[in-house]
Amino acid sequence: MEKLTIDDIELKGRNILVRVDFNVPLSETGEVADDKRIVASLPTIRKILQDGGKAILISHLGRPKGKKVPEMSLAPAAKRLESLLGRPIRFVNDCLGPDVEKAVSELKPGECLLLENLRYYKEETDNDPEFAKKLANLGEAFINDAFGTAHRAHASTEGVTKYIKQSAAGYLMQKELKYLGMALADPQRPFVAILGGAKISGKIDVISNLMDKVDAILIGGGMAFTFFRAMGKEIGKSLLESDKIDLAREILSKAAEKKVSFMLPRDVVVAEEAKEDAATHVVGIEAIPPDLQGLDIGPKTVEAFSRELAKAKTVVWNGPMGVFEFDKFAAGTIKVAEELARITEKGATTIVGGGDSASAVARAGLKDKLSHISTGGGASLEFLEGKTLPGVAALTDK
Ligand code: AMP
C-alpha cells in the first residue's frame, strides 16, 4: 500500500483519532440490529488499545442532516462496542466542544472514547474546514477505518487529514483495499464479475470499467431485461429502463468486440408481481408472458452461471439476481452465494461488494465462507468503477 497504515504510526501514549463506520441499523427499541460494521472495526481498535494508545472514535449514523436527532444517536453503538471489547467505553453526547475536550484530556493509555454522531453538524457533510480542524485537534494522529464512507469527501474523512500530521489506513480499510484492489489490478484468471440488482443505470460505470478487466460478466436481476429488450426480445411486464436500451446495445457490442463472455439469464421465474404469495412459473427467456414479469433467474441460468463460476479464480459480485427480499424470488441469489462458497473452498478469491448481495450472503449463512464481503456498498461500487476514493487519496503517502 502506498499510504501510511496503522502499523506505520506510533500509537503508544498518543491520542489517536479514528474514523470508524458505525453507521449500523438500529431496532425499534433502539438497539444495534446488525453489528457487522462494529465487529469489522475491532482489529484496529484492539491494536490501538493493546499498544497503549488512546482511541477517540468518530462516526456518523444515518442522515440527521445537521440536526440532533436522538433516534440517530451512536449511544447504542457504544454499548455494543463495550460488550464486544469486554471493557468500558466512554461515550460523549457531542463530537465537539468542552465536554469532548475534557473527556479526551482524561483518557488514559489503553482507553477508548466514542463521540456522538458527526452528522448532527451539517459541517461534516459540507466538509467545512473549521469543523475539520476542530476534529483534527482532538488527535495526534488520524486513522481512517471507515471504508463505507471513503467515497465521500467529508470533514471526518477528507478535511481532517489536512490538519493532522499523519493520516493512516486502519486494518479494515487495508483489507477492503487489498481485496478490491487486487481484483482490479492483478486478478487470478479466469476473472468473473456477477452483476445484478434493479437497474443498468446504477451499474453502467462498473460494467464499463470491468469490461476491460474480466473474462466473463454474468448478468442477473432486473437489469437483464433492458438487455433483452435491446436484443429485440419480449419481456412482458419485467423491469425496463427504456432510456437505456441504446446503452444496453452498446454494452453488448463492446463485450463482443472485447471477447468478454457476456452471459444473460436463460430462464426466469415470472409472476404477476413481487409478493410472498405470488403464483410463480419458470419460463425460458423467449417465452415471458406479456402480463407477467421476471423476478428471479431460473434453474437453467443457475446451472449455466455455476458452470462458469466453477472455472473462475477471482469473482466480484454486486447486486442480487432477483427480488431476493421475498423467499419466492431469492433462490437464484442464494444459489449464486452457495456456488461462491464452493469455489472459495477450492481456492478461488470471492469478493462481495456490500449492500444487498452482502445481506443475501448473510441470510444464506455463508458470510464466513467467502474471501471478502465489503462493508461499503457505495464505496465498493465506486472503487469498481475505477474512481479514486477521496477518503483514501487523502491519507498520508508512505
Ligand atoms: P440495486 O440497488 O440496483 O443493486 O438493486 C437491488 C434491488 O434490485 C433489490 O431490492 C431487488 O429486489 C431488486 N431486483 C432484483 N431483481 C429484480 C427484478 N428482476 N425485477 C425487479 N427488481 C429486482
Side-chain angles (χ1 to χ4, degrees):
M1 197 157 158
E2 323 123 17
K3 298 291 182 181
L4 285 190
T5 75
I6 180 169
D7 292 319
D8 297 316
I9 61 175
E10 177 70 37
L11 301 168
K12 194 163 186 242
R14 297 176 88 201
N15 285 342
I16 310 294
L17 183 69
V18 192
R19 178 48 159 110
V20 287
D21 181 6
F22 285 178
N23 182 27
V24 292
L26 299 178
S27 68
E28 277 176 20
T29 52
E31 272 146 52
V32 174
D34 178 352
D35 65 3
K36 69 170 182 285
R37 285 180 157 163
I38 303 179
V39 170
S41 72
L42 292 176
T44 290
I45 299 171
R46 284 205 177 105
K47 166 75 177 168
I48 298 168
L49 303 185
Q50 274 160 13
D51 281 20
K54 306 180 223 174
I56 303 148
L57 310 181
I58 51 173
S59 177
H60 78 284
L61 192 155
R63 293 183 178 165
K65 299 193 173 154
K67 298 213 168 57
K68 300 200 172 180
V69 181
E71 294 76 31
M72 294 181 192
S73 168
L74 278 163
K79 240 193 200 162
R80 181 59 64 94
L81 178 63
E82 201 162 65
S83 72
L84 287 167
L85 281 176
R87 63 166 87 196
I89 302 295
R90 175 113 188 251
F91 179 71
V92 185
N93 62 3
D94 207 337
C95 64
L96 287 177
D99 288 352
V100 173
E101 281 153 31
K102 182 164 179 283
V104 168
S105 70
E106 287 167 2
L107 208 55
K108 297 196 178 60
E111 286 183 354
C112 182
L113 181 65
L114 175 64
L115 305 183
E116 184 55 288
N117 197 341
L118 292 160
R119 291 196 191 167
Y120 280 2
Y121 292 84
K122 76 182 243 311
E123 289 87 342
E124 159 65 357
T125 48
D126 287 349
N127 199 0
D128 178 85
E130 283 309 310
F131 183 81
K133 209 182 282 180
K134 285 181 193 159
L135 288 177
N137 283 341
L138 300 174
E140 291 163 82
F142 174 65
I143 290 176
N144 191 347
D145 215 20
F147 176 76
T149 337
H151 58 315
R152 304 278 179 235
H154 290 168
S156 69
T157 62
E158 200 265 346
V160 66
T161 63
K162 295 183 186 144
Y163 308 104
I164 203 156
K165 214 162 158 201
Q166 288 180 308
S167 299
Y171 290 127
L172 173 61
M173 180 72 89
Q174 253 180 289
K175 181 168 179 255
E176 294 271 11
L177 297 174
K178 175 185 138 193
Y179 277 102
L180 291 163
M182 183 211 28
L184 291 191
D186 187 23
Q188 267 203 304
R189 296 187 179 275
F191 176 19
V192 177
I194 315 169
L195 298 172
K199 294 178 175 176
I200 296 187
S201 45
K203 307 271 157 78
I204 177 63
D205 293 338
V206 177
I207 299 177
S208 303
N209 191 40
L210 290 180
M211 190 77 86
D212 294 322
K213 307 185 190 305
V214 298
D215 301 293
I217 298 183
L218 316 184
I219 299 278
M223 72 160 92
F225 299 100
T226 303
F227 286 106
F228 285 137
R229 178 49 67 78
M231 294 156 80
K233 291 190 199 303
E234 199 40 68
I235 60 165
K237 295 225 157 32
S238 307
L239 198 67
L240 171 69
E241 284 177 278
S242 39
D243 60 334
K244 296 289 179 294
I245 297 174
D246 287 342
L247 186 67
R249 213 170 276 132
E250 272 169 42
I251 294 172
L252 290 169
S253 62
K254 199 169 158 201
E257 196 184 294
K258 293 192 180 283
K259 300 198 165 54
V260 170
S261 155
F262 197 84
M263 290 178 71
L264 285 159
R266 296 180 179 192
D267 57 350
V268 285
V269 179
V270 292
E272 257 176 42
E273 58 178 312
K275 55 179 185 181
E276 210 48 81
D277 59 352
T280 62
H281 317 270
V282 175
V283 297
I285 51 104
E286 308 290 345
I288 300 177
D291 55 334
L292 300 180
Q293 46 176 328
L295 294 166
D296 192 12
I297 56 173
K300 287 207 177 87
T301 309
V302 168
E303 224 181 281
F305 283 8
S306 298
R307 262 199 307 275
E308 195 66 28
L309 290 172
K311 294 182 274 178
K313 288 280 182 299
T314 307
V315 180
V316 168
W317 179 22
N318 191 299
M321 298 290 99
V323 185
F324 78 110
E325 292 89 342
F326 296 97
D327 284 345
K328 284 212 161 147
F329 309 107
T333 304
I334 303 280
K335 288 264 161 49
V336 163
E338 286 170 354
E339 187 58 31
L340 291 184
R342 231 184 321 272
I343 64 168
T344 313
E345 207 178 1
K346 291 191 188 142
T349 301
T350 52
I351 302 157
V352 180
D356 284 333
S357 349
S359 323
V361 170
R363 210 170 106 190
L366 297 169
K367 67 178 172 15
D368 301 322
K369 308 268 183 208
L370 273 58
S371 314
H372 180 65
I373 298 172
S374 176
T375 52
S380 69
L381 209 56
E382 290 203 15
F383 193 94
L384 294 175
E385 285 169 3
K387 291 190 184 142
T388 304
L389 307 181
V392 178
L395 299 177
T396 314
D397 290 329
K398 237 189 189 144

